Amino acid sequence: MALTKELMGYPLISAERSSLASSSSHFKKKTHFLINTFDRRPRKNKSGVVAAISEDLIKTLRFATTTGDRKSEQEEKAAVKFKVRAVVTVRNKNKEDLKETLVKHLDAFADKIGRNIVLELISTELDPKTNMPKKSNAAVLKDWSKKSKTKAERVHYTAEFTVDAAFGLPGAITVINKHQKELFLESITIEGFAVGSVHFPCNSWVQSQNDHSEKRIFFANQPYLPNETPEGLRVLREKELKNLRGDGSGVRKLSDRIYDFDVYNDLGNPDKSSELSRPKLGGPDIPYPRRCRTGRHSTVTDKEAESRVEKPLPMYVPRDEQFEESKKDTFAAGRLKAVLHHLIPSLKASILAEDFADFGEIDNLYKEGLLLKLGFQDDIFNKFPLPKVVVDALHESTKGLLKYDTPKILSKDKNAWLRDDEFARQAIAGINPVNIERLKTFPPVSDLDPKIYGPQHSALTHDHIIGHLDGFSVQQALEENRLYMLDYHDTFLPFLDRINALDGRKAYATRTIFFLTRRGTLKPVAIELSLPPHGAKHRSKRVVTPPVDATSNWIWQLAKAHVSSNDAGVHQLVNHWLRTHACLEPFILAAHRQLSAMHPIFKLLDPHMRYTLEINALARQSLISADGVIEEGFTAGAYGMEMSAAAYKSSWRFDMEGLPADLIRRGMAIPDPTQPHGLKLLIEDYPYANDGLLLWSAIQTWVRTYVHRYYPNSNVIQTDSELQSWYSESINVGHADLRDAKWWPELSTVDDLVSIITTIIWLASAQHAALNFGQYPYGGYVPNRPPLMRRLIPDESDPEYASFISDPEKYYFSSMPSLAQTSKFMAVVDTLSTHSPDEEYIGERQQPSIWTGDTEIVDAFYGFAAEIGRIEKEIEKRNTDPDRRNRCGAGVLPYELLVPSSEPGVTCRGVPNSVSI
């Protein structure tokens, strides 16, 4: 009877204290105890025993008790064994190559003869006899060979464990893969314990024992702070983190799961050419965030440079960070398109440097496609001995592969981009709405050293702008917060001599002044174009104002193009790549190294880290590398990453990366506790900020709810060893070059943690979406946002001025990127703007009901998802409000970049959880 009571949930007294038969009085003093899987904090049982049996066994024992089938005292002491079942979900690949198919068949055969997938269940409790975690027997997945030909994406297997009645709660599972092929383990559910189903979200590749001999460890979904870790899981928690950290040595294999830090010393290829040598980014000379270590050997030419891995060979990232199949297919299709767009013009050498003759030729890229534009679609099929797959792809071009979709900027008014109001509107509702700042003094002043870069004061004067201020004086406009600026002067000027020495590159360091009209829209009133000073007679600064005649109109259009080119470079290299991709990578690496999968903050951050390491590695391979897409396609060329590093050193601050702090820093808002978000926007109709604040507040509320659940006071924050190690390593190793900066936020209070996590999630989701998914919709029409310029603007003393006057349209297009440059750029930004079918958007996550075992948090997450849905409806409502002229009106594009959901493809909307493209 005593044993029956124990199995039904009552503690069992140890044999050392008393016999079970004489302990009935003790049981009366005990309260009924049954652990709930979803309780956050495990309740402690002084006797150290927890009931863990199936309902069938309970019924059997009850029957045995009622029929008087009492066992002897010795039999009651004997361990009662019972069985529980594991349901294991394995995700198959949709496509397999021949080698994978052969290995799969071999594994199916080997499974029959004992080379199985082996699982072992581990309790949250220690065995008092061995002081080691209690374990089940080893169990194998059933019917592997029978199901090996199943075509379904997900295949469910079972395994059967035997445990004793005093096993306690299952807290971990170890897995050994004795097959030759890796497998993707999606989840494991254990059925048969009295507490109900116990879930193990895995979402991980398990390598063959031949490649990685150690058992893989997976933890149940119950979150635990480090000091709350059940005794049976403490060693495993530390062991798993140690495995993920590695020892900092060796060349990484693609199957490894090791997260470590390194500098950006793999962007150049000095062994191929001295012209492809690039400086190391990261260290005292050129500060930069750290990236994921690969351990590749150094180049022969430069021992500090890491050897290159050229596409299509893969770059190392930890195995679970690699793209899943549908994402990989989407990216590969975009890459094929980009390669073909680059290949085909190069096959006809005479076309390579061809300029567009007029705007109609650009329009034909969308109407006719590239082959028809070049006029040799039949020749290419007949004259080149190309593989069948390439020929098929080229034939497909007539159906769209080499034909561009019309960018959204042309969808409502194909000439809107030429207008000054649209040029200004894109500063607050385009693809780069994060650089505009309120002008606090006029004329603006540079922070550069005047001994090197000339006078700090701008060449702008009151006379340049006074006639465009709708009756306001300059001082009145300043005082009433009506003057705003895009200022790229200090970013570009230190690099201009080197940039302008490059073949086919010409740039200015620009400043653009905008005036806020009474209708709440902006208009440009002056553009300053600066070059480095070269002697007293050299004209280094020039101011262009809105046109008054035909000649000044073409000069004004060229000036706006140079501003857009500056803007495109800073957008791509600083705001997009540096601030969302590169600066988040250290936080992600440190999270995997220092936060256990059981840690509640890891569970919170997990969906916001998906794919970021992989896309950053691909960027190092082909986007930001020497001769990569960014160097070929943007004005800064080979100096682009140095420009990015200069911005990191001079202006990047983590404490200013949150939306409210950034808006206040740029003077676009002022603190106002009476407003819903604690601040007042000085441009009331600022679509990026309006919608961004909705998402910021929703993220902040969700994070605050989550953090308060696990951290009731600051002491818990300060004593959480894993949390403190994560934040410390993110700063001291991941951002080592700025670790001594005074602006790093403390991590001492609950509010500190809420702020830090909210900022990280904001950057990974909404900020990245706002800066990324409009690249093709706005930049796919190159005259709207030329990524590079090839000629400066002539003045009357220049020899080129006569040719400009005689044919200004020809001069305009000779200043723009060539056909080949345009084609390749369009294909790349098309890929970067594409949502893959497996995208996870803000308010979504894998296995939404079981990603954590804390039901209170699951409910809170569904509340967060509902709030995201309400925000989407509010944004859609704003886009039809005629009073919001910066997002609604004749020919005006709605602002949808922060609409949370999206279909796959190029949609100019959708906020994924993470930096995934």
Side-chain angles (χ1 to χ4, degrees):
M1 184 64 184
L3 181 58
T4 303
K5 285 184 176 182
E6 161 59 12
L7 293 174
M8 293 177 66
Y10 289 86
L12 186 66
I13 301 175
S14 61
E16 286 83 353
R17 290 189 57 188
S18 168
S19 71
L20 290 170
S22 62
S23 299
S24 58
S25 62
H26 179 79
F27 279 121
K28 293 175 183 177
K29 297 176 183 177
K30 293 281 184 181
T31 57
H32 181 72
F33 180 75
L34 201 62
I35 287 183
N36 178 351
T37 306
F38 299 118
D39 284 351
R40 183 179 69 81
R41 298 172 185 271
R43 296 170 186 157
K44 295 183 179 177
N45 177 0
K46 292 180 181 178
S47 67
V49 182
V50 176
I53 65 171
S54 67
E55 293 179 5
D56 290 341
L57 184 57
I58 291 174
K59 292 175 183 176
T60 302
L61 290 167
R62 282 173 175 163
F63 176 77
T65 303
T66 56
T67 55
D69 184 15
R70 299 181 59 82
K71 298 181 180 180
S72 67
E73 180 178 325
Q74 188 62 36
E75 287 175 321
E76 284 186 307
K77 288 181 180 180
V80 174
K81 304 287 184 181
F82 66 99
K83 293 181 178 180
V84 295
R85 188 176 77 141
V87 178
V88 179
T89 302
V90 173
R91 192 189 305 165
N92 283 334
K93 285 186 175 181
N94 293 320
K95 302 173 186 175
E96 291 179 337
D97 58 29
L98 178 61
K99 180 181 177 182
E100 288 174 323
T101 302
L102 289 173
V103 172
K104 185 176 181 178
H105 289 313
L106 287 172
D107 282 342
F109 174 76
D111 196 82
K112 292 180 179 179
I113 59 174
R115 295 194 63 79
N116 313 109
I117 309 297
V118 183
L119 288 73
E120 193 172 44
L121 200 56
I122 298 174
S123 171
T124 56
E125 300 176 6
L126 295 176
D127 186 327
K129 294 180 181 178
T130 63
N131 207 35
M132 298 290 287
K134 298 175 183 177
K135 297 180 180 180
S136 71
N137 65 310
V140 300
L141 291 192
K142 297 180 179 180
D143 299 327
W144 184 276
S145 58
K146 187 185 296 184
K147 295 182 178 180
S148 63
K149 296 181 181 179
T150 303
K151 299 297 183 183
E153 183 180 8
R154 289 172 175 82
V155 182
H156 304 290
Y157 300 91
T158 60
E160 202 170 71
F161 299 101
T162 300
V163 297
D164 62 48
F167 182 79
L169 283 173
I173 290 177
T174 61
V175 180
I176 299 175
N177 177 7
K178 294 185 179 180
H179 294 171
Q180 295 183 58
K181 185 183 176 187
E182 65 177 3
L183 65 94
F184 188 84
L185 195 54
E186 188 171 88
S187 65
I188 302 172
T189 300
I190 305 298
E191 299 170 343
F193 285 90
V195 295
S197 298
V198 181
H199 301 285
F200 293 75
C202 305
N203 297 306
S204 181
W205 290 96
V206 179
Q207 300 302 318
S208 167
Q209 192 179 29
N210 298 334
D211 298 318
H212 293 269
S213 58
E214 287 202 1
K215 296 178 180 179
R216 281 296 310 277
I217 302 165
F218 296 99
F219 296 106
N221 63 352
Q222 186 65 31
Y224 296 104
L225 294 176
N227 63 351
E228 295 175 340
T229 310
E231 292 291 336
L233 303 180
R234 290 192 173 181
V235 171
L236 286 179
R237 183 171 186 149
E238 286 300 320
K239 182 179 180 182
E240 176 68 353
L241 285 174
K242 185 178 179 182
N243 289 341
L244 292 169
R245 291 181 197 126
D247 62 5
S249 65
V251 179
R252 298 274 64 82
K253 298 184 297 183
L254 293 174
S255 59
D256 285 346
R257 293 171 59 247
I258 294 175
Y259 298 77
D260 205 352
F261 299 92
D262 208 343
V263 295
Y264 281 74
N265 61 348
D266 63 342
L267 302 182
N269 193 350
D271 286 348
K272 186 175 181 180
S273 167
S274 60
E275 292 183 356
L276 296 179
S277 180
R278 295 293 180 269
K280 177 182 73 175
L281 306 183
D285 294 336
I286 307 180
Y288 213 63
R290 299 305 189 257
R291 48 93 172 177
C292 183
R293 180 186 178 276
T294 68
R296 296 194 304 270
H297 299 299
S298 64
T299 62
V300 175
T301 309
D302 182 354
K303 296 303 180 184
E304 287 202 353
E306 189 171 89
S307 57
R308 295 278 301 162
V309 172
E310 302 294 353
K311 59 187 180 184
L313 295 176
M315 296 270 281
Y316 169 77
V317 292
R319 182 64 182 98
D320 291 340
E321 306 302 319
Q322 296 172 27
F323 288 165
E324 292 177 21
E325 196 170 8
S326 63
K327 177 76 170 182
K328 194 178 293 183
D329 289 346
T330 301
F331 196 81
R335 178 178 278 178
L336 172 63
K337 194 172 181 179
V339 167
L340 289 174
H341 278 290
H342 184 53
L343 167 69
I344 291 166
S346 69
L347 290 175
K348 196 163 184 178
S350 62
I351 301 296
L352 259 178
E354 183 180 289
D355 299 332
F356 292 102
D358 53 37
F359 291 106
E361 288 203 351
I362 299 178
D363 293 343
N364 287 339
L365 290 176
Y366 315 114
K367 294 176 182 177
E368 301 173 356
L370 187 62
L371 291 182
L372 288 175
K373 162 71 182 85
L374 298 178
F376 70 111
Q377 66 275 18
D378 294 328
D379 292 345
I380 198 167
F381 299 139
N382 299 327
K383 294 183 179 179
F384 292 95
L386 298 171
K388 185 176 184 299
V389 63
V390 176
V391 173
D392 290 345
L394 294 173
H395 276 296
E396 183 67 19
S397 70
T398 58
K399 300 176 184 177
L401 181 61
L402 295 175
K403 188 175 174 181
Y404 295 96
D405 294 327
T406 301
K408 191 174 181 180
I409 186 64
L410 304 179
S411 64
K412 297 190 74 174
D413 179 353
K414 64 177 292 185
N415 296 315
W417 66 275
L418 279 165
R419 299 197 316 263
D420 286 357
D421 63 287
E422 176 62 19
F423 172 75
R425 190 192 72 85
Q426 289 186 34
I428 55 175
I431 189 57
N432 188 37
V434 300
N435 269 106
I436 190 166
E437 58 185 291
R438 179 165 54 89
L439 195 57
K440 297 171 185 175
T441 60
F442 187 89
V445 179
S446 169
D447 291 327
L448 297 175
D449 185 347
K451 295 178 182 177
I452 300 174
Y453 301 107
Q456 291 179 307
H457 282 284
S458 164
L460 288 159
T461 67
H462 286 61
D463 290 342
H464 287 124
I465 67 172
I466 192 65
H468 306 284
L469 302 186
D470 296 355
F472 288 88
S473 69
V474 173
Q475 190 58 36
Q476 283 176 317
L478 286 170
E479 290 173 357
E480 296 194 21
N481 303 317
R482 290 187 177 274
L483 289 178
Y484 295 84
M485 176 173 61
L486 285 177
D487 186 358
Y488 300 123
H489 180 276
D490 289 6
T491 302
F492 270 88
L493 197 65
F495 295 92
L496 279 187
D497 278 337
R498 286 180 286 171
I499 290 171
N500 289 340
L502 295 171
D503 186 35
R505 304 292 168 95
K506 290 294 181 283
Y508 297 99
T510 67
R511 288 191 181 104
T512 307
I513 307 300
F514 298 94
F515 175 73
L516 179 65
T517 69
R518 291 180 173 89
R519 296 171 68 84
T521 58
L522 293 171
K523 65 177 182 179
V525 296
I527 295 172
E528 181 184 32
L529 306 169
S530 296
L531 294 169
H534 293 291
K537 295 182 180 180
H538 182 261
R539 186 181 178 190
S540 63
K541 296 180 186 294
R542 177 179 182 180
V543 176
V544 181
T545 55
V548 294
D549 56 26
T551 300
S552 60
N553 179 66
W554 279 106
I555 290 174
W556 179 246
Q557 295 299 338
L558 283 166
K560 288 195 298 181
H562 275 282
V563 172
S564 295
S565 179
N566 271 194
D567 189 76
V570 171
H571 161 260
Q572 195 68 266
L573 293 162
V574 179
N575 298 330
H576 179 207
W577 165 256
L578 173 67
R579 293 174 62 185
T580 63
H581 285 259
C583 286
L584 280 178
E585 185 159 348
F587 291 98
I588 294 170
L589 290 169
H592 285 282
R593 289 167 52 85
Q594 302 297 340
L595 296 175
S596 165
M598 289 188 283
H599 198 290
I601 297 302
F602 185 89
K603 290 179 179 292
L604 175 61
L605 288 175
D606 189 35
H608 305 290
M609 302 188 289
R610 185 178 187 230
Y611 290 155
T612 304
L613 298 185
E614 170 81 339
I615 195 62
N616 285 5
L618 289 170
R620 297 201 320 274
Q621 186 176 44
S622 58
L623 291 179
I624 61 172
S625 56
D627 255 4
V629 171
I630 303 298
E631 287 196 4
E632 288 188 5
F634 287 83
T635 294
Y639 308 107
M641 288 303 291
E642 289 182 66
M643 186 180 291
S644 177
Y648 177 69
K649 180 181 180 181
S650 65
S651 61
W652 185 82
R653 290 180 51 160
F654 181 75
D655 64 327
M656 294 292 167
E657 288 298 284
L659 179 58
D662 177 56
L663 290 171
I664 292 169
R665 171 173 63 169
R666 291 189 282 121
M668 301 302 292
I670 56 175
D672 185 346
T674 67
Q675 298 293 316
H677 309 289
L679 50 78
K680 177 184 178 182
L681 292 174
L682 298 181
I683 299 178
E684 292 183 10
D685 183 16
Y686 182 1
Y688 159 77
N690 297 139
D691 297 355
L693 286 168
L694 293 178
L695 288 172
W696 171 271
S697 293
I699 294 167
Q700 186 181 56
T701 299
W702 157 236
V703 171
R704 182 179 289 114
T705 299
Y706 192 97
V707 167
H708 277 273
R709 172 73 169 151
Y710 301 100
Y711 297 95
N713 57 62
S714 297
N715 183 59
V716 186
I717 298 272
Q718 295 163 16
T719 58
D720 184 337
S721 57
E722 288 183 5
L723 183 71
Q724 294 295 333
S725 294
W726 163 68
Y727 190 56
S728 175
E729 186 172 70
S730 298
I731 296 170
N732 293 310
V733 181
H735 288 279
D737 305 326
L738 300 181
R739 63 179 177 267
D740 295 326
K742 304 299 183 186
W743 43 255
W744 282 105
E746 295 283 334
L747 180 49
S748 300
T749 68
V750 174
D751 286 344
D752 291 342
L753 182 57
V754 170
S755 176
I756 290 164
I757 299 297
T758 301
T759 298
I760 289 172
I761 294 177
W762 161 258
L763 291 171
S765 58
Q767 181 78 325
H768 178 259
L771 294 167
N772 184 74
F773 292 102
Q775 290 193 78
Y776 185 80
Y778 282 93
Y781 186 67
V782 167
N784 181 54
R785 285 179 64 76
L788 63 83
M789 296 293 285
R790 294 186 290 156
R791 302 180 82 170
L792 298 175
I793 304 173
D795 60 24
E796 295 179 10
S797 62
D798 292 328
E800 294 180 320
Y801 190 75
S803 62
F804 163 69
I805 291 296
S806 65
D807 193 341
E809 186 176 35
K810 182 178 180 180
Y811 191 93
Y812 180 87
F813 281 108
S814 69
S815 299
M816 291 280 163
S818 69
L819 168 61
Q821 290 168 328
T822 296
S823 179
K824 186 173 185 181
F825 173 77
M826 288 167 67
V828 170
V829 294
D830 178 71
T831 301
L832 296 180
S833 303
T834 300
H835 291 293
S836 66
D838 71 338
E839 201 87 88
E840 292 174 12
Y841 298 94
I842 189 94
E844 300 176 348
R845 61 182 300 160
Q846 293 180 10
Q847 302 157 316
S849 61
I850 64 166
W851 62 274
T852 177
D854 189 335
T855 52
E856 213 173 286
I857 288 300
V858 170
D859 289 344
F861 181 74
Y862 283 127
F864 171 59
E867 177 60 19
I868 294 299
R870 286 190 287 271
I871 288 171
E872 181 157 329
K873 291 179 181 177
E874 173 61 24
I875 293 173
E876 290 169 352
K877 180 181 174 183
R878 291 174 175 182
N879 281 329
T880 59
D881 181 354
D883 291 333
R884 296 177 182 267
R885 293 181 175 85
N886 292 316
R887 64 197 306 163
C888 180
V892 176
L893 292 182
Y895 186 72
E896 297 181 308
L897 285 167
L898 291 175
V899 173
S901 70
S902 176
E903 296 297 319
V906 179
T907 63
C908 201
R909 59 179 283 162
V911 180
N913 277 321
S914 62
V915 178
S916 60
I917 189 65

